[in-house]
Structures are given as C-alpha cells and as structure tokens.
Amino acid sequence: MTVFGVDTGSRSLREADHLIHDLVARLPGPVVAGTHLIRGERPHIAVSLESDVESLPVDPEMSVVSVVFRAGPDGLAAAEAFAQHGVSGRAVVFPGSELTGAVRVGDLLAGSSIDRLHVVGGSEQPGADDFLDTRDHLRPEWQGGELVLAVTPAGAGRFAPFEVPNPTPCCADH
C-alpha cells in the first residue's frame, strides 16, 4: 500500500470530503482516506490516501507527495498530510465507512476499522448491544494509532456520531 498526501488548499471539511470522494472514484481497490487540518499563515485542510496504486491521477492544482511520487505545485502541505496519515486527522473513507442506518455497537466495532467510541459530554460508555444511529456519516479520528468515533447519547441505549453530516455554518443566521 502507498500513502499519498494531497493538497489543493481546501477551505472546509466539506470541500476536502468532496476531494477525497473524487479521488477515491478514480482509484481501483480499497482506499483509506482522511482529512488533516493545516495550521499556519493560511489554515486549510489537506487530505491523505492509502491505496495499492503507485501514482495518482492528479489535476494541475493538486500538490501530491508520497515516498515514490511527487506532482503539482510546491508550497502546499501535501507532505504534512502524508506524515499524519494514520496518526492524526479525520477518517472519511475506511473499512466500515459505508455503514448506514442504525447498527449495533458490537457489529460496528467488529465490522469496521473503528477501534472504539468516545462519548462526548457523558460518562456512559456504549455497550455491544447498544445502537449507533450512523446518520449515514461516520467520521472517526486517528488518536494514538486508534480510530476513535466521537458520539453523543441519543436516548436509552442509543448513540449518534458527534459530527453531523450537514452542520449549520457559524453565523449562518446573522
């Protein structure tokens, strides 16, 4: 498997998610992909992909870095995304990312790359027979080598991902 860091200067998670899905559609076989926040003078989001291909079909504005492949303009943060893959960041495409609807927590953990759930703002830990309403949008984060999904309580024995699929932008109503 080859890891690629890709940067087009995405300004939002939604834009980076679209970039990932566009790139994944161009690649054969299984892919693991995620987003990485790039700090500095021009904060933005870069992405990383892991695939069994040795090069990527790139557009001119894409900066791409891997161990054996480099393309596009320098000065973007593709190398930083490459270095963060599997270490930190937010997973978008991974084994189990296609799960939809309500799934038992035990089935989620057994049938996906997600290692554990973290309840935000609560001390209750989900049991294997509890349910997760995926909202058709699973975005766990790599933390210390584990893929951790942040969830919130959503009723007795039910949880939901903390990240919602269509968040209201800050200051959208004023």
Side-chain angles (χ1 to χ4, degrees):
M1 297 295 259
T2 303
V3 174
F4 299 93
V6 179
D7 193 2
T8 60
S10 296
R11 305 289 298 162
S12 69
L13 289 173
R14 177 177 283 206
E15 186 180 333
D17 284 7
H18 285 283
L19 172 63
I20 285 173
H21 288 295
D22 179 53
L23 289 169
V24 168
R26 300 181 200 185
L27 298 173
V31 176
V32 174
T35 61
H36 307 277
L37 298 177
I38 305 300
R39 304 186 194 291
E41 288 182 28
R42 196 177 63 85
H44 65 284
I45 300 158
V47 305
S48 64
L49 297 112
E50 181 179 347
S51 174
D52 60 359
V53 299
E54 292 185 10
S55 65
L56 286 178
V58 297
D59 298 330
E61 74 279 0
M62 287 182 185
S63 176
V64 180
V65 171
S66 78
V67 171
V68 296
F69 182 79
R70 179 178 286 272
D74 289 334
L76 295 176
E80 190 170 338
F82 168 79
Q84 292 181 12
H85 181 81
V87 176
S88 65
R90 172 179 161 272
V92 176
V93 176
F94 55 94
S97 62
E98 70 283 355
L99 291 171
T100 59
V103 295
R104 282 182 357 99
V105 169
D107 295 338
L108 172 80
L109 297 176
S112 76
S113 294
I114 296 173
D115 294 301
R116 63 183 174 91
L117 305 181
H118 169 73
V119 181
V120 177
S123 59
E124 178 186 7
Q125 289 302 307
D129 290 328
D130 290 335
F131 280 88
L132 176 75
D133 178 0
T134 66
R135 297 176 176 161
D136 303 341
H137 186 81
L138 296 175
R139 298 295 188 267
E141 294 184 3
W142 285 289
Q143 296 177 3
E146 290 186 314
L147 205 50
V148 180
L149 179 65
V151 299
T152 60
R158 300 190 77 84
F159 296 86
F162 182 74
E163 182 178 321
V164 295
N166 297 306
T168 301
C170 180
C171 305
D173 62 345
H174 53 260

